Amino acid sequence: MVKTFGGHFKPPDNLQNEAALHYILAAISSTLMGRDLYVSPKEKAAELAYHIITRHVFLTGTSELRFTFAGSFFAAIRCL
């Protein structure tokens, strides 16, 4: 993706905020009164994408991820 869109990936990881990533992963698995808050894989994917984008989890590539997530999500639900 860096070659295609540009950016400055910093190996071995590109995490800016590891705590935010852990929060996001816990949030999409959350339950309320024994029931999943995000039931379908589509809901979980949408929530994951939203939080990764808005919480700026990665050092670089957030803008590119917006388009990648959106394209993948809409293709998955057959809206394209």
Side-chain angles (χ1 to χ4, degrees):
M1 190 180 335
V2 172
K3 287 181 182 178
T4 304
F5 298 105
H8 305 286
F9 181 73
K10 310 258 191 250
D13 61 44
N14 195 34
L15 287 176
Q16 176 174 312
N17 190 343
E18 188 173 351
L21 182 59
H22 289 292
Y23 165 80
I24 294 165
L25 295 174
I28 65 170
S29 302
S30 296
T31 60
L32 180 62
M33 298 174 60
R35 300 179 77 175
D36 285 345
L37 290 177
Y38 308 103
V39 180
S40 73
K42 292 175 190 174
E43 291 172 319
K44 290 180 188 286
E47 193 68 15
L48 177 67
Y50 173 78
H51 283 296
I52 284 178
I53 291 165
T54 59
R55 292 181 182 271
H56 302 282
V57 174
F58 300 108
L59 291 170
T60 62
T62 301
S63 297
E64 294 82 6
L65 282 173
R66 292 176 192 164
F67 297 109
T68 302
F69 279 137
S72 298
F73 180 74
F74 289 124
I77 60 172
R78 301 173 199 267
C79 287
L80 290 179

